[in-house]
Amino acid sequence: MADKLLIRLYDVGLGDCIYCRMPKAHKSGRDFHVLIDCGTLSSTDYLAAAIDNLKTMLPEIDGKRHVDLLVVTHEHKDHMTGFGLDLWDDLSFGAIWMSAAMDLDHPEAKRAKKLHSFAANAMEQAVRLNLALSPPLMELAAALALNKTAMKTLRETLPQASKIKPVYVHAKSKNADLALPLKTDATVSVLGPEKDIDFYYLGKEGDPALRRLGFIDTGLPDPSTAVPQPDAVPTPANIDPADFRRLRSRMLSTALAFADLDGKVCNNTSVVLLIEWKGKRLLFVGDAEWDGAYKEGTKANCAWNVMWNLRKRKLKGPLAFYKIGHHGSVNATPWGMTAAASEGEPLAILDAILPVKSKAGAKATVSTRRGNYETIPRTDLLAEIGKRVSNTRNYANAFKKAGKKTSAVPKFSEFEKKSFSQPQPLRTDLERMLQESRGFVDVEIEA
């Protein structure tokens, strides 16, 4: 309906490409159009189809289809690889927002940028050498892969074509930097990341778990040294071959540990977007993560905990829509996964944004696909969210009605069976299997 706010999650496999239309919210009286991310770890054909459909939803202004606001949450392939494709020549943009962590000159992300550069190059080297990485590490390598074309498109090509400058946003961004041509009954706020990325998301070396951060300050090795070719360095004559193999293994393990840490930092510096429209609250969280509690400056904090402690006034309150974080990952929506989580911050956050008593007024959707990350999506988490939102589906009944076999669902016995008959928020992967998605899942919000 033209008078309802529309959220469209495109089915792009394991990735995010999200369109939001706020009816008549532009100052001119027309609809206001937002695109959040465009990436996948699956086939890029999904992205091409998504952008083709997106263009049919956009107004034509000065000969091009126009997006009022483009938001790129963070620098992972499953959120931005589409910007390395030839999809954008006939689109224009009113504003482009990216995470402050993506700003090469951000003064409070120096360690984070050093870590990210090393991790991305090291994993690129591991993939190039075809090293025998585990499936989850292969997925991590793919997510971290450098995509210079995509970043050039975002930093230079698209802004120059639209005669604007990209804005690297954080929770303390100036109002002038975030100014948008919106009517007074619609706002777009940034709840994360914090401006001081190194302080909040890397912490200090005092935490024993973070001692490897000292390497970031003193200087990381060249990726080709950390992940060398198997025959690049001959075994020294004065070292036992078995000891040398163990040394090389430790070097690779260290590189992988840095890559894993960088993946967490990158997720936790996702742009977290709160859209408020006619009294309704919509939350888009990228891949923001959570853990047990917040400790300022002494640990690498997770984004949800930082927001809860620094931005609670804006974060707290029932949502009309929640974009389920990180494709349904266990660590991307705070919940009572353990007894400690049930008694601490995680469940308190979930109860604040998706209280069970407000189920009738809340909706949620997840863009997901089970692949080498076997535990994504976490179906018991989705079942828990299903108790708190109204747009759910019992997929056991839906598959039976459609004559579909559950054996076609990846890893059904291991990860799906237990929660399959419980109401879950709509999932792009299963909606496609039911042939009811049309390549996207729509959610409408009434004023």
Side-chain angles (χ1 to χ4, degrees), residues 277-351:
W277 172 78
K278 296 185 182 294
K280 304 293 185 179
R281 291 161 36 89
L282 298 83
L283 190 65
F284 301 84
V285 297
D287 285 355
E289 297 184 6
W290 65 274
D291 66 7
Y294 170 79
K295 294 181 180 179
E296 184 168 301
T298 62
K299 60 173 281 192
N301 285 291
C302 288
W304 278 102
N305 305 88
V306 173
M307 290 189 293
W308 185 245
N309 284 272
L310 273 63
R311 308 289 163 193
K312 185 181 291 187
R313 186 181 64 82
K314 290 288 287 185
L315 178 62
K316 188 176 182 179
L319 298 173
F321 176 79
Y322 170 54
K323 195 287 292 190
I324 297 171
H326 202 181
H327 322 300
S329 174
V330 65
N331 64 350
T333 297
W335 63 307
M337 183 179 72
T338 63
S342 295
E343 296 171 359
E345 285 184 4
L347 186 57
I349 297 171
L350 185 61
D351 284 340

Coordinates of all heavy atoms in Angstrom, one line a residue, residues 277-351:
W277 N 9.5 6.8 12.2 CA 8.5 7.3 11.2 C 7.1 7.2 11.8 O 6.7 6.2 12.2 CB 8.6 6.4 9.9 CG 7.5 6.7 8.9 CD1 7.5 7.8 8.0 CD2 6.3 6.0 8.7 NE1 6.3 7.7 7.2 CE2 5.6 6.6 7.6 CE3 5.8 4.8 9.2 CZ2 4.4 6.1 7.1 CZ3 4.6 4.3 8.7 CH2 3.9 4.9 7.7
K278 N 6.5 8.4 11.9 CA 5.2 8.5 12.5 C 5.0 7.7 13.8 O 4.0 7.0 14.0 CB 4.2 8.0 11.4 CG 4.1 8.9 10.2 CD 3.0 8.5 9.3 CE 3.0 9.4 8.0 NZ 2.6 10.8 8.3
G279 N 6.0 7.8 14.6 CA 6.0 7.1 15.9 C 6.4 5.7 15.9 O 6.5 5.1 17.0
K280 N 6.7 5.1 14.8 CA 7.2 3.7 14.7 C 8.7 3.7 14.6 O 9.4 4.6 14.0 CB 6.7 3.1 13.4 CG 5.1 3.1 13.3 CD 4.5 2.2 14.4 CE 3.0 2.2 14.2 NZ 2.3 1.3 15.2
R281 N 9.3 2.7 15.3 CA 10.8 2.6 15.4 C 11.2 1.3 14.6 O 10.8 0.2 14.9 CB 11.2 2.5 16.8 CG 11.0 3.7 17.6 CD 11.0 3.5 19.1 NE 11.9 2.5 19.6 CZ 13.2 2.7 19.9 NH1 13.7 4.0 19.9 NH2 13.9 1.7 20.4
L282 N 12.2 1.6 13.7 CA 12.8 0.5 12.9 C 14.3 0.4 13.2 O 15.0 1.4 13.1 CB 12.5 0.7 11.4 CG 11.0 0.7 11.0 CD1 10.4 2.1 11.2 CD2 10.9 0.3 9.5
L283 N 14.8 -0.8 13.4 CA 16.2 -0.9 13.8 C 16.9 -1.8 12.8 O 16.5 -3.0 12.6 CB 16.4 -1.4 15.2 CG 17.8 -1.4 15.8 CD1 18.3 0.0 16.0 CD2 17.8 -2.2 17.1
F284 N 18.0 -1.3 12.2 CA 18.8 -2.0 11.2 C 20.2 -2.1 11.8 O 20.9 -1.1 12.0 CB 18.9 -1.3 9.9 CG 17.5 -1.2 9.3 CD1 16.7 -0.1 9.6 CD2 17.0 -2.1 8.4 CE1 15.4 0.1 9.0 CE2 15.7 -2.0 7.8 CZ 14.9 -0.9 8.1
V285 N 20.7 -3.3 12.1 CA 21.9 -3.4 13.0 C 23.2 -4.0 12.3 O 24.2 -4.2 12.9 CB 21.6 -4.3 14.2 CG1 20.6 -3.6 15.1 CG2 21.2 -5.7 13.8
G286 N 23.1 -4.1 10.9 CA 24.3 -4.7 10.3 C 24.6 -6.0 10.9 O 23.8 -6.9 11.0
D287 N 25.9 -6.2 11.3 CA 26.3 -7.4 11.9 C 26.8 -7.2 13.4 O 27.7 -7.9 13.9 CB 27.5 -8.1 11.1 CG 27.0 -8.7 9.9 OD1 25.8 -8.8 9.6 OD2 27.9 -9.2 9.1
A288 N 26.3 -6.2 14.0 CA 26.6 -5.8 15.4 C 26.5 -7.1 16.3 O 25.6 -7.8 16.2 CB 25.8 -4.7 15.9
E289 N 27.5 -7.3 17.2 CA 27.6 -8.4 18.0 C 27.3 -8.0 19.5 O 27.3 -6.8 19.9 CB 28.9 -9.1 18.0 CG 29.2 -9.7 16.6 CD 30.6 -10.4 16.5 OE1 31.2 -10.6 17.6 OE2 31.0 -10.8 15.4
W290 N 27.1 -9.0 20.4 CA 26.9 -8.8 21.8 C 27.7 -9.8 22.6 O 28.1 -10.9 22.1 CB 25.4 -9.0 22.2 CG 24.9 -10.4 22.0 CD1 24.4 -11.0 20.8 CD2 24.9 -11.5 23.0 NE1 24.1 -12.3 21.0 CE2 24.3 -12.7 22.3 CE3 25.3 -11.6 24.3 CZ2 24.2 -13.9 23.0 CZ3 25.1 -12.8 25.0 CH2 24.6 -13.9 24.3
D291 N 28.0 -9.5 23.8 CA 28.5 -10.5 24.8 C 27.9 -10.2 26.1 O 26.9 -9.5 26.3 CB 30.1 -10.5 24.8 CG 30.7 -9.2 25.3 OD1 29.9 -8.3 25.8 OD2 31.9 -9.1 25.2
G292 N 28.5 -10.8 27.2 CA 27.9 -10.8 28.5 C 27.7 -9.4 29.1 O 26.7 -9.1 29.8
A293 N 28.7 -8.5 29.0 CA 28.6 -7.2 29.7 C 29.6 -6.2 29.1 O 30.5 -6.6 28.4 CB 28.9 -7.4 31.2
Y294 N 29.4 -5.0 29.5 CA 30.2 -3.9 29.0 C 31.3 -3.5 30.1 O 31.0 -3.4 31.3 CB 29.3 -2.7 28.7 CG 30.0 -1.4 28.4 CD1 30.5 -1.1 27.2 CD2 30.0 -0.4 29.4 CE1 31.1 0.1 26.9 CE2 30.6 0.8 29.1 CZ 31.2 1.1 27.9 OH 31.7 2.3 27.6
K295 N 32.5 -3.3 29.6 CA 33.6 -2.8 30.5 C 34.3 -1.7 29.7 O 35.1 -2.0 28.8 CB 34.5 -3.9 30.9 CG 33.9 -4.9 31.9 CD 34.9 -6.0 32.3 CE 34.2 -7.0 33.2 NZ 35.1 -8.1 33.6
E296 N 34.2 -0.5 30.1 CA 34.7 0.6 29.4 C 36.3 0.6 29.4 O 36.9 0.7 30.4 CB 34.2 2.0 29.9 CG 34.6 3.1 29.1 CD 33.9 4.4 29.4 OE1 32.7 4.4 29.3 OE2 34.6 5.4 29.8
G297 N 36.8 0.6 28.2 CA 38.2 0.8 28.0 C 39.1 -0.4 28.3 O 40.3 -0.4 27.9
T298 N 38.6 -1.4 29.1 CA 39.5 -2.5 29.5 C 39.3 -3.8 28.7 O 40.0 -4.8 28.9 CB 39.3 -2.8 31.0 OG1 37.9 -3.3 31.1 CG2 39.5 -1.6 31.8
K299 N 38.4 -3.8 27.7 CA 38.2 -4.9 26.9 C 37.7 -4.5 25.5 O 37.3 -3.4 25.3 CB 37.1 -5.9 27.6 CG 35.8 -5.2 27.8 CD 34.7 -6.2 28.2 CE 34.2 -7.0 27.1 NZ 33.0 -7.8 27.5
A300 N 37.7 -5.5 24.6 CA 37.1 -5.2 23.3 C 35.6 -5.4 23.4 O 35.1 -6.6 23.5 CB 37.7 -6.2 22.3
N301 N 34.9 -4.3 23.5 CA 33.4 -4.4 23.8 C 32.7 -4.8 22.5 O 33.2 -4.5 21.4 CB 32.9 -3.1 24.3 CG 33.2 -2.9 25.8 OD1 32.7 -3.7 26.6 ND2 34.1 -2.0 26.1
C302 N 31.5 -5.3 22.6 CA 30.6 -5.6 21.5 C 29.6 -4.4 21.3 O 29.3 -3.7 22.3 CB 29.9 -6.9 21.7 SG 31.0 -8.4 21.5
A303 N 29.2 -4.3 20.1 CA 28.4 -3.1 19.7 C 27.1 -3.0 20.5 O 26.7 -1.9 21.0 CB 28.1 -3.1 18.2
W304 N 26.4 -4.1 20.7 CA 25.1 -4.0 21.5 C 25.3 -3.5 22.9 O 24.6 -2.7 23.4 CB 24.5 -5.4 21.5 CG 23.7 -5.8 20.3 CD1 24.1 -6.6 19.2 CD2 22.3 -5.3 19.9 NE1 23.1 -6.7 18.3 CE2 22.0 -5.9 18.7 CE3 21.4 -4.5 20.6 CZ2 20.7 -5.7 18.1 CZ3 20.2 -4.3 20.0 CH2 19.9 -4.9 18.8
N305 N 26.4 -4.0 23.5 CA 26.7 -3.7 24.9 C 27.1 -2.2 25.0 O 26.7 -1.5 25.9 CB 27.8 -4.5 25.5 CG 27.4 -6.0 25.4 OD1 27.8 -6.6 24.4 ND2 26.8 -6.6 26.4
V306 N 27.8 -1.7 24.0 CA 28.2 -0.3 24.0 C 27.0 0.6 23.8 O 26.8 1.5 24.6 CB 29.2 0.0 22.8 CG1 29.5 1.5 22.7 CG2 30.5 -0.8 23.1
M307 N 26.1 0.2 22.9 CA 24.9 1.0 22.7 C 24.0 1.0 23.9 O 23.4 2.0 24.3 CB 24.1 0.4 21.5 CG 24.7 0.7 20.2 SD 23.6 0.3 18.8 CE 23.5 -1.5 18.9
W308 N 23.9 -0.2 24.6 CA 23.0 -0.3 25.8 C 23.5 0.6 26.9 O 22.7 1.2 27.6 CB 23.0 -1.7 26.2 CG 22.0 -2.0 27.4 CD1 22.3 -2.4 28.6 CD2 20.6 -1.9 27.3 NE1 21.2 -2.6 29.4 CE2 20.1 -2.3 28.6 CE3 19.7 -1.6 26.3 CZ2 18.8 -2.3 28.9 CZ3 18.3 -1.6 26.7 CH2 17.9 -2.0 27.9
N309 N 24.8 0.8 27.0 CA 25.4 1.6 28.1 C 25.6 3.1 27.7 O 25.5 3.9 28.6 CB 26.7 1.0 28.5 CG 26.5 -0.3 29.4 OD1 26.4 -0.2 30.6 ND2 26.5 -1.4 28.7
L310 N 25.7 3.4 26.4 CA 26.0 4.7 26.0 C 24.8 5.4 25.3 O 24.6 6.6 25.3 CB 27.2 4.8 25.1 CG 28.5 5.0 25.8 CD1 28.9 3.8 26.7 CD2 29.6 5.2 24.8
R311 N 23.9 4.5 24.7 CA 22.8 5.1 23.9 C 21.5 4.5 24.3 O 20.6 4.4 23.5 CB 23.1 4.7 22.4 CG 24.5 5.2 21.9 CD 24.6 6.6 21.8 NE 26.0 7.0 21.7 CZ 26.4 8.3 21.8 NH1 25.6 9.2 22.0 NH2 27.7 8.5 21.7
K312 N 21.4 4.1 25.5 CA 20.1 3.4 26.0 C 18.9 4.2 25.8 O 17.8 3.7 25.4 CB 20.3 3.1 27.5 CG 19.1 2.2 28.0 CD 19.2 1.9 29.5 CE 20.3 1.0 29.8 NZ 20.4 0.5 31.2
R313 N 19.0 5.5 25.9 CA 17.8 6.4 25.7 C 17.2 6.2 24.4 O 16.0 6.2 24.2 CB 18.1 7.9 26.0 CG 16.9 8.8 26.0 CD 17.4 10.2 26.2 NE 18.2 10.7 25.1 CZ 17.8 11.2 24.0 NH1 16.5 11.2 23.7 NH2 18.6 11.6 23.1
K314 N 18.1 6.1 23.3 CA 17.6 6.0 22.0 C 17.3 4.5 21.6 O 16.3 4.2 20.9 CB 18.6 6.5 21.0 CG 18.8 8.0 21.0 CD 17.6 8.7 20.4 CE 17.6 8.6 18.9 NZ 16.5 9.4 18.3
L315 N 18.1 3.6 22.2 CA 17.9 2.2 21.8 C 16.7 1.6 22.5 O 15.9 0.8 21.9 CB 19.2 1.4 22.3 CG 19.1 -0.1 22.0 CD1 19.0 -0.4 20.5 CD2 20.4 -0.8 22.6
K316 N 16.5 1.9 23.8 CA 15.4 1.3 24.6 C 14.1 1.7 24.1 O 13.8 2.9 23.8 CB 15.6 1.7 26.0 CG 14.7 1.0 27.0 CD 15.0 1.4 28.4 CE 14.1 0.7 29.4 NZ 14.4 1.0 30.8
G317 N 13.2 0.8 24.0 CA 11.8 1.0 23.5 C 11.4 0.0 22.5 O 12.2 -0.4 21.7
P318 N 10.1 -0.4 22.5 CA 9.6 -1.4 21.6 C 9.8 -1.0 20.1 O 9.6 0.2 19.7 CB 8.1 -1.5 21.9 CG 8.0 -1.0 23.3 CD 9.1 0.1 23.5
L319 N 10.2 -1.9 19.3 CA 10.4 -1.7 17.9 C 9.2 -2.2 17.1 O 8.5 -3.1 17.4 CB 11.6 -2.5 17.4 CG 13.0 -2.1 18.0 CD1 14.0 -3.1 17.5 CD2 13.4 -0.7 17.6
A320 N 8.9 -1.5 16.0 CA 7.9 -1.9 15.0 C 8.6 -2.9 14.0 O 7.9 -3.8 13.4 CB 7.3 -0.7 14.3
F321 N 9.9 -2.8 13.8 CA 10.6 -3.6 12.9 C 12.1 -3.8 13.4 O 12.7 -2.8 13.8 CB 10.6 -3.1 11.5 CG 11.4 -4.0 10.5 CD1 10.9 -5.2 10.0 CD2 12.7 -3.6 10.2 CE1 11.7 -6.0 9.2 CE2 13.5 -4.4 9.3 CZ 13.0 -5.6 8.9
Y322 N 12.5 -5.1 13.3 CA 13.9 -5.4 13.6 C 14.5 -6.2 12.5 O 14.0 -7.3 12.1 CB 14.0 -6.2 14.9 CG 15.3 -6.7 15.2 CD1 16.5 -5.9 15.2 CD2 15.5 -8.1 15.5 CE1 17.7 -6.5 15.5 CE2 16.7 -8.6 15.8 CZ 17.8 -7.8 15.8 OH 19.1 -8.3 16.1
K323 N 15.6 -5.7 11.9 CA 16.4 -6.5 10.9 C 17.3 -7.4 11.7 O 18.2 -6.9 12.3 CB 17.1 -5.5 10.0 CG 17.7 -6.2 8.7 CD 18.8 -7.2 8.9 CE 20.1 -6.4 9.3 NZ 21.3 -7.4 9.2
I324 N 17.0 -8.6 11.7 CA 17.8 -9.6 12.5 C 19.2 -9.6 12.1 O 19.5 -9.7 10.9 CB 17.2 -11.0 12.4 CG1 15.7 -11.0 13.0 CG2 18.0 -12.0 13.1 CD1 15.0 -12.3 12.7
G325 N 20.1 -9.4 13.0 CA 21.5 -9.1 12.8 C 22.3 -10.4 12.3 O 22.0 -11.5 12.6
H326 N 23.3 -10.1 11.4 CA 24.3 -11.1 11.0 C 23.6 -12.4 10.5 O 24.1 -13.5 10.8 CB 25.3 -11.3 12.1 CG 26.6 -11.9 11.5 ND1 27.6 -12.3 12.3 CD2 27.0 -12.2 10.3 CE1 28.6 -12.7 11.6 NE2 28.2 -12.7 10.3
H327 N 22.5 -12.2 9.7 CA 21.9 -13.4 9.1 C 21.4 -14.4 10.1 O 21.3 -15.6 9.7 CB 22.9 -14.0 8.1 CG 23.7 -13.0 7.3 ND1 23.2 -12.0 6.5 CD2 25.1 -12.8 7.3 CE1 24.1 -11.3 6.0 NE2 25.3 -11.7 6.5
G328 N 21.1 -14.0 11.3 CA 20.6 -14.9 12.3 C 21.6 -15.6 13.1 O 21.4 -16.6 13.8
S329 N 22.8 -15.0 13.1 CA 23.9 -15.6 13.9 C 23.6 -15.5 15.4 O 23.0 -14.6 15.9 CB 25.2 -14.8 13.6 OG 26.3 -15.2 14.5
V330 N 24.2 -16.5 16.2 CA 23.9 -16.6 17.6 C 24.4 -15.4 18.4 O 23.8 -15.0 19.4 CB 24.5 -17.9 18.1 CG1 26.0 -17.8 18.0 CG2 24.1 -18.1 19.6
N331 N 25.4 -14.7 17.9 CA 26.0 -13.6 18.6 C 25.6 -12.2 18.1 O 26.3 -11.2 18.5 CB 27.6 -13.7 18.6 CG 28.2 -13.6 17.2 OD1 27.4 -13.6 16.3 ND2 29.5 -13.5 17.2
A332 N 24.6 -12.1 17.4 CA 24.2 -10.8 16.7 C 22.9 -10.3 17.2 O 22.6 -9.2 16.9 CB 24.3 -11.0 15.2
T333 N 22.1 -11.0 17.9 CA 20.9 -10.6 18.6 C 21.0 -10.9 20.1 O 21.1 -12.1 20.4 CB 19.6 -11.2 18.0 OG1 19.5 -10.8 16.6 CG2 18.4 -10.7 18.7
P334 N 21.1 -10.0 21.0 CA 21.2 -10.3 22.4 C 20.0 -11.1 22.9 O 18.9 -10.7 22.6 CB 21.4 -9.0 23.1 CG 20.8 -8.0 22.1 CD 21.0 -8.5 20.8
W335 N 20.3 -12.2 23.6 CA 19.1 -13.0 24.1 C 19.6 -13.9 25.2 O 20.8 -13.9 25.6 CB 18.6 -13.9 22.9 CG 19.5 -14.9 22.3 CD1 20.8 -14.7 21.8 CD2 19.3 -16.3 22.2 NE1 21.4 -15.8 21.4 CE2 20.5 -16.9 21.5 CE3 18.3 -17.2 22.5 CZ2 20.6 -18.2 21.2 CZ3 18.4 -18.5 22.1 CH2 19.5 -19.0 21.5
G336 N 18.7 -14.6 25.9 CA 19.0 -15.4 27.0 C 19.6 -16.8 26.6 O 19.1 -17.8 27.0
M337 N 20.7 -16.8 25.9 CA 21.2 -18.0 25.4 C 21.8 -18.9 26.5 O 21.7 -20.1 26.5 CB 22.4 -17.7 24.4 CG 23.0 -18.9 23.8 SD 24.3 -18.5 22.6 CE 25.6 -18.0 23.7
T338 N 22.3 -18.2 27.6 CA 22.8 -18.9 28.7 C 22.1 -18.4 30.0 O 21.5 -17.3 30.0 CB 24.3 -18.8 28.9 OG1 24.6 -17.4 29.1 CG2 25.0 -19.2 27.6
A339 N 22.3 -19.0 31.1 CA 21.8 -18.5 32.4 C 22.3 -17.2 32.7 O 21.6 -16.3 33.1 CB 22.1 -19.5 33.5
A340 N 23.6 -17.0 32.5 CA 24.2 -15.7 32.7 C 23.6 -14.6 31.8 O 23.4 -13.5 32.3 CB 25.8 -15.7 32.5
A341 N 23.4 -14.9 30.5 CA 22.9 -13.9 29.6 C 21.4 -13.6 30.0 O 21.0 -12.5 29.9 CB 22.9 -14.5 28.2
S342 N 20.7 -14.6 30.6 CA 19.3 -14.3 31.0 C 19.2 -13.4 32.2 O 18.2 -12.7 32.3 CB 18.7 -15.7 31.3 OG 18.5 -16.5 30.2
E343 N 20.3 -13.4 33.0 CA 20.3 -12.5 34.2 C 21.0 -11.2 34.0 O 20.9 -10.3 34.9 CB 21.0 -13.3 35.3 CG 20.2 -14.6 35.7 CD 21.0 -15.4 36.7 OE1 22.2 -15.0 37.0 OE2 20.5 -16.5 37.1
G344 N 21.6 -11.0 32.8 CA 22.4 -9.8 32.6 C 21.9 -8.9 31.5 O 20.7 -8.9 31.1
E345 N 22.8 -8.2 30.8 CA 22.5 -7.3 29.8 C 21.8 -7.9 28.6 O 20.8 -7.3 28.0 CB 23.8 -6.6 29.3 CG 24.3 -5.5 30.2 CD 25.5 -4.8 29.7 OE1 25.9 -5.0 28.5 OE2 26.0 -3.9 30.4
P346 N 22.2 -9.0 28.1 CA 21.7 -9.5 26.8 C 20.2 -9.7 26.8 O 19.5 -9.1 25.9 CB 22.4 -10.9 26.6 CG 23.7 -10.7 27.3 CD 23.4 -9.9 28.5
L347 N 19.6 -10.4 27.7 CA 18.2 -10.6 27.7 C 17.4 -9.3 28.1 O 16.3 -9.0 27.5 CB 17.7 -11.7 28.7 CG 16.3 -12.0 28.7 CD1 15.8 -12.5 27.3 CD2 15.9 -13.1 29.7
A348 N 18.1 -8.4 28.9 CA 17.5 -7.1 29.2 C 17.3 -6.3 27.9 O 16.3 -5.6 27.7 CB 18.3 -6.4 30.2
I349 N 18.3 -6.4 27.0 CA 18.2 -5.6 25.8 C 17.1 -6.1 24.9 O 16.3 -5.4 24.4 CB 19.6 -5.7 25.0 CG1 20.7 -5.1 25.8 CG2 19.5 -5.0 23.7 CD1 22.1 -5.3 25.2
L350 N 17.0 -7.5 24.8 CA 16.0 -8.0 23.9 C 14.6 -7.7 24.5 O 13.7 -7.4 23.7 CB 16.2 -9.5 23.8 CG 15.2 -10.3 22.9 CD1 15.3 -9.8 21.4 CD2 15.4 -11.8 22.9
D351 N 14.4 -7.8 25.8 CA 13.2 -7.5 26.4 C 12.8 -6.0 26.2 O 11.6 -5.7 26.2 CB 13.2 -7.8 27.9 CG 13.1 -9.3 28.2 OD1 12.7 -10.0 27.3 OD2 13.5 -9.7 29.3

